[in-house]
Amino acid sequence: MPYALSGFQIVAGILLLFGGGELFVAGSVSLALLLRIPQIVIGLTVVSLGTSAPELFVSLTSTMQGGAGGDAIAVTNVVGSNIFNVLVVLGASAVVLPLRVKSRLVRRDVPLLLGVSMATWGMASGGRLTWIVGLALLTGMALNLVWEARTASEEVQDGDLSDEALIPWPMAAAKLAAGLALLVLGSQVLVSGAISAAQSLGVSEAVIGLTIVSAGTSMPELVTSLVAAYRGKADLAIGNVVGSNLLNQLLILGTCSLLSGPEGIEVSGLLITRDFPIMVATTLACLPIFWSGGVISRAEGWVLLGLYGLFLVEQVMHTTAYSGLDQFRFVVLAAVVPLVLVFVVWNALEWRQARLRSH
């Protein structure tokens, strides 16, 4: 019976977060369009803020509950969501429709995300994220938002703006308020169900946070980017992922660390040695993929989805203490990773040769 109740809470929490995220995004995009902000900036700021709201409320709720279990879910939710966003959200969106990448993402946003990811990993390597770390991350977020605001007017291009999502101000505000209420409720239900499930099944909170919770709270990103890709709005689809991953670290980890009290948030050794490096590696992989022809192809999308499948397999094998875990990791490092690198480099060279022939 406890298993069924925990499962129901997890599903109900995900559905509430999904609905809340959708309402929040709709209201946010409408307000942004009323202010005449270009789509790429909307994706990197307003949409990513709305779709990151589930992660924010889940991690904050976990932090406020306190204890090692709450800390584990707060941190792993962010790390797992960032991995999910790059491998699943970008991958699935590219499978729906190849995504054309704007040069500013390669020049500015992805290097910034990579720098923030490495800095967060470094600050977490001491085993705790203190209020000082939180203050530093929130300061970084404020500086980035100021930068975005200063450059937004310079990046408006013909066709960047659309009136298709314009609704009256009162309706947009009502959607924001309703979405916020659902996000608060959904986060509480999901965290409660996830912790109960972990305790009942003997599964660590870290694994629950990296898989079920992170995937559940990333559903708004997935749906938003899939819909954007289907409608041919690659700017929103990609900007949503990059912006969400930035906010997950700067806003969510920053806020949770700042409010965690004098002891800070505990970060497990496994997160520091395994999951943070995976998060940084997936961010690093964006650079050659984005650069190769300025398009994320369907083949690259399938590769990203396949890598997330391997990540899930590793999580399951680690949880069940499978005897072949070390052999599996060796095969991934010795065979799969080199093959992926060769694939990305081959795509980049093919694009370069095609470009030279066209000239």
Side-chain angles (χ1 to χ4, degrees), residues 75-132:
V75 179
T76 55
N77 177 36
V78 168
V79 175
S81 292
N82 280 17
I83 295 171
F84 185 91
N85 285 346
V86 172
L87 298 182
V88 177
V89 177
L90 267 187
S93 300
V95 168
V96 170
L97 187 71
L99 304 174
R100 184 162 297 280
V101 182
K102 285 204 168 184
S103 61
R104 68 156 281 169
L105 286 166
V106 180
R107 289 184 289 104
R108 175 197 186 279
D109 299 302
V110 175
L112 175 62
L113 176 59
L114 180 61
V116 168
S117 300
M118 295 180 70
T120 304
W121 178 20
M123 289 186 288
S125 61
R128 287 196 175 273
L129 291 171
T130 64
W131 69 268
I132 298 176

Side-chain angles (χ1 to χ4, degrees), residues 60-71 195:
L60 273 178
T61 302
S62 300
T63 301
M64 293 299 101
Q65 287 184 355
D71 286 354
I195 293 178

Side-chain angles (χ1 to χ4, degrees), residues 127-144:
R128 287 196 175 273
L129 291 171
T130 64
W131 69 268
I132 298 176
V133 171
L135 188 60
L137 291 172
L138 290 173
T139 301
M141 184 194 70
L143 292 174
N144 182 55

Side-chain angles (χ1 to χ4, degrees), residues 23-46:
L23 286 173
F24 197 94
V25 169
S28 300
V29 171
S30 296
L31 289 175
L33 289 173
L34 285 168
L35 297 173
R36 306 294 290 173
I37 300 175
Q39 285 183 8
I40 185 66
V41 178
I42 293 175
L44 284 163
T45 55
V46 180

Side-chain angles (χ1 to χ4, degrees), residues 214 250 308:
S214 62
L250 296 176
Y308 189 74

